[in-house]
Amino acid sequence: ANISDEQLWNVYLPPFKAAINAGSGSLMTAYMDVNGVPATANQFLLREVLHDQWHFKGFTVSDWESVKSLTVHGFSANDHDAAVRAAKAGVDMEMTSHVYQNQLPSAVANGEVPVSTIDAAVRNILIAKYRLGLFTKADMDPARSRAELVSPAQRAAARTAAQRSAVLLRNEGNALPLSSGGGPIALIGPLADAPADTMGSWSLAGHPADTVTVLSGLRQHFGSGRQILYTRGVEIYREQPSIFDSQFPSPKPVLTTDAARQAEFDHAISLVKQAKVAILVLGEAQTMSGEQASRSSLSLPGRQQALLEAAVATGTPVVLVLMNGRPLDITWAAEHVPAILDIWYPGTEGGNAVADLLTGAANPGGKLPVTWPRSVGQMPIYYGDNLTQDPGARDRRYWDATSAPLYPFGYGLSYSSFTVGELKTSSPFLRRGESLTASVDVQNDSSVAGDEVVQLYIHQRAGSASRPVRELKAFRRVHFEAKQKQTVTLKLNPEELAFWSPETHGSVIEPGDFDLWVGTSSEAPLHSMFTLKP
């Protein structure tokens, strides 16, 4: 919902095509229709585009039972028809169901599917297996993979990944980082000690027993230095079954009466009152995100919002730690909670990473990969929208609210403070076969070492299509020591200005004038211009 069809084509298609042209890996066919034809039996997509135009050299595999689902679509008459049409379209391997196994022998025998089609599919699969070394390496040991999942090196990498992907959204009055001493910490929330939720959805190879929760991470970090007062406060659960329940069953409510629920709520607030600072770990259970987990609301599930407001009302400083798979409605928190840290689903070492971030052992440097809405009524919302006929009407599109996001794409704070200035470009012109560089001076004004992500956006002023107001074309995450100043240079090539033109029905690079901005989010203020020459 945070990206337009054009952005999907222009931003994600080029690297996707590059991977395809490299001739490695596999491609999974989706469930949905494309112009009325399910992707799993779409000869235009799989043969004309994927193989003939893009020269894909890997193998294709159906999504979970998507061959069998061709009949459910109302596309194929039965399993036999589905197998024939998927195989002839170019699906090499069927996932999960057994339509190919049961139907293709007779389809080949009666001439509906040529033997050459089967040979091509088998060849593609065998080539992939050879590339993986399945026929040449004698040291394949499944037990080794299980050990590697929790090896010291893997744990260290997981901890670093969780540290670097977290986004500090708010830090009023330098509420963070927490000091090493200074009284009890109230740790409240249904996700503060939830191993499966900390790992997140689709973590099927992981084990909750190996996972460090936020509670475990803080206890390990502080030891006896600070008392941790923990309770859940409220429960959250998904009422409808989840496809992940077989792996990590959704916990059933323990608090089954109104009196029990209120007693736990009141207990949490009493702990907040006893504490020097309160950390509330709120958000979504892992079954609430991922596959088959859409929501019609962006609110904090259950009574979490009421718990947050009650905690703030005590007067104890509150830190909100969000665990989630999508932006949530935190408009109230953005006005009333001093510090907000989004950790997404941080993985096996998530609790240790969160402890590092909250205490300053690690400095947040992540940036939002989405545009953060104020409410569900703003959806879909994304940074690269078109100018429209009245681009200055941002605050007039809704009569009851601004249409500006709560936090823009690319936004994220740090315990360091940075100044970005003096944008320079290597030339006012860009020609085919050349590149243009944009440089800015970045100064760490603080005494805290940290990372900043410098971002470059462009806008094509005129062409065969109305172009997005801004498009991210380059970025660099750079580490700065305390008080350090560096010149950060970003490069732009003509190929990165290509887009799919609805007028020509193809990818085009059109000469003309371009705006260029550099900064630390999609609202980057430093501006220049260049002209793309024929």
Side-chain angles (χ1 to χ4, degrees):
N2 282 275
I3 189 166
S4 67
D5 291 341
E6 183 180 350
Q7 283 179 297
L8 186 64
W9 186 275
N10 292 328
V11 176
Y12 292 102
L13 185 59
F16 177 62
K17 289 177 68 175
I20 287 175
N21 291 333
S24 60
S26 62
L27 182 143
M28 186 172 73
T29 60
Y31 293 111
M32 68 283 294
D33 295 346
V34 179
N35 295 328
V37 181
T40 299
N42 197 309
Q43 292 199 40
F44 168 72
L45 284 181
L46 300 183
R47 296 220 179 268
E48 293 184 37
V49 176
L50 187 64
H51 288 286
D52 296 344
Q53 296 181 26
W54 294 357
H55 308 293
F56 178 56
K57 300 179 181 65
F59 75 93
T60 53
V61 57
S62 73
D63 203 338
W64 188 293
E65 295 196 355
S66 67
V67 174
K68 188 178 183 66
S69 295
L70 293 175
T71 304
V72 182
H73 275 262
F75 182 77
S76 58
N78 47 47
D79 282 0
H80 186 86
D81 186 31
V84 170
R85 298 174 81 167
K88 293 176 74 173
V91 177
D92 298 322
M93 177 187 289
E94 180 187 9
M95 184 196 296
T96 312
S97 51
H98 300 91
V99 175
Y100 270 15
Q101 177 180 325
N102 297 334
Q103 303 297 330
L104 282 183
S106 61
V108 172
N110 62 29
E112 292 178 275
V113 176
V115 173
S116 59
T117 298
I118 304 299
D119 287 344
V122 172
R123 184 182 302 110
N124 291 337
I125 296 167
L126 288 177
I127 288 172
K129 290 184 175 183
Y130 271 106
R131 285 175 173 159
L132 288 170
L134 298 182
F135 298 114
T136 58
K137 296 181 181 178
D139 60 346
M140 292 283 185
D141 182 7
R144 181 183 173 189
S145 67
R146 290 191 292 270
E148 280 297 320
L149 283 175
V150 289
S151 68
Q154 289 281 15
R155 282 193 173 275
R159 187 168 182 166
T160 299
Q163 291 169 355
R164 291 172 63 86
S165 59
V167 182
L168 183 63
L169 297 174
R170 181 174 165 89
N171 193 26
E172 295 301 304
N174 295 319
L176 294 176
L178 302 175
S179 61
S180 57
I185 295 174
L187 180 63
I188 310 296
L191 301 173
D193 193 32
D197 298 315
T198 302
M199 287 194 299
S201 60
W202 273 113
S203 52
L204 303 186
H207 301 94
D210 296 327
T211 301
V212 181
T213 65
V214 175
L215 175 61
S216 300
L218 286 173
R219 281 177 171 169
Q220 182 172 323
H221 178 87
F222 285 111
S224 59
R226 294 194 75 168
Q227 184 182 10
I228 307 294
L229 308 173
Y230 162 72
T231 195
R232 288 174 296 169
V234 298
E235 291 180 314
I236 58 170
Y237 61 97
R238 175 172 162 164
E239 295 182 6
Q240 294 181 337
S242 165
I243 63 171
F244 301 108
D245 283 346
S246 60
Q247 184 75 9
F248 305 127
S250 299
K252 300 301 180 183
V254 175
L255 307 171
T256 57
T257 67
D258 289 342
R261 287 188 283 269
Q262 189 61 47
E264 172 61 17
F265 189 101
D266 293 341
H267 174 54
I269 299 305
S270 71
L271 294 184
V272 172
K273 292 177 179 178
Q274 299 172 42
K276 189 73 173 179
V277 62
I279 301 170
L280 271 67
V281 186
L282 308 178
E284 299 172 315
Q286 57 93 11
T287 56
M288 294 177 176
S289 192
E291 197 165 354
Q292 291 187 16
S294 298
R295 291 181 62 207
S296 60
S297 169
L298 295 180
S299 62
L300 290 165
R303 294 189 67 198
Q304 293 182 97
Q305 181 66 34
L307 181 69
L308 177 63
E309 293 186 17
V312 171
T314 66
T316 300
V318 171
V319 174
L320 173 59
V321 174
L322 285 173
M323 192 180 296
N324 50 298
R326 58 172 66 81
L328 299 174
D329 185 348
I330 57 169
T331 305
W332 185 90
E335 295 181 6
H336 298 92
V337 178
I340 304 174
L341 178 69
D342 195 317
I343 60 173
W344 312 105
Y345 293 116
T348 303
E349 281 289 312
N352 284 330
V354 171
D356 294 337
L357 291 162
L358 293 177
T359 61
N363 190 351
K367 301 288 185 175
L368 285 179
V370 295
T371 301
W372 198 290
R374 296 174 182 272
S375 69
V376 71
Q378 288 184 302
M379 304 302 292
I381 185 172
Y382 47 91
Y383 83 94
D385 54 349
N386 284 358
L387 283 171
T388 74
Q389 83 286 353
D390 189 5
R394 183 179 234 189
D395 290 322
R396 300 196 303 272
R397 292 173 187 160
Y398 294 91
W399 64 264
D400 58 346
T402 175
S403 58
L406 184 62
Y407 299 111
F409 175 90
Y411 173 86
L413 301 175
S414 168
Y415 299 147
S416 309
S417 59
F418 298 96
T419 301
V420 182
E422 198 173 358
L423 170 61
K424 298 178 181 178
T425 56
S426 58
S427 171
F429 304 104
L430 179 59
R431 295 176 175 84
R432 296 291 184 96
E434 299 178 353
S435 62
L436 181 146
T437 60
S439 301
V440 290
D441 292 333
V442 182
Q443 171 76 49
N444 181 357
D445 298 319
S446 72
S447 58
V448 180
D451 293 358
E452 184 56 279
V453 182
V454 181
Q455 305 163 39
L456 184 152
Y457 295 83
I458 63 100
H459 165 68
Q460 184 171 347
R461 292 198 163 188
S464 61
S466 176
R467 307 297 299 126
V469 59
R470 292 194 183 194
E471 295 179 274
L472 177 67
K473 291 300 178 181
F475 63 90
R476 278 185 62 196
R477 181 166 177 159
V478 183
H479 181 75
F480 292 81
E481 298 297 333
K483 303 294 183 180
Q484 184 182 12
K485 183 178 183 179
Q486 295 186 57
T487 298
V488 180
T489 300
L490 301 172
K491 185 169 71 171
L492 185 67
N493 296 316
E495 293 76 19
E496 294 171 306
L497 304 177
F499 68 95
W500 188 84
S501 171
E503 183 176 90
T504 64
H505 295 277
S507 180
V508 298
I509 303 174
E510 297 179 343
D513 294 331
F514 287 76
D515 293 294
L516 182 150
W517 296 270
V518 175
T520 57
S521 78
S522 55
E523 296 183 347
L526 298 177
H527 176 261
S528 183
M529 285 187 60
F530 68 92
T531 300
L532 178 64
K533 292 292 187 179

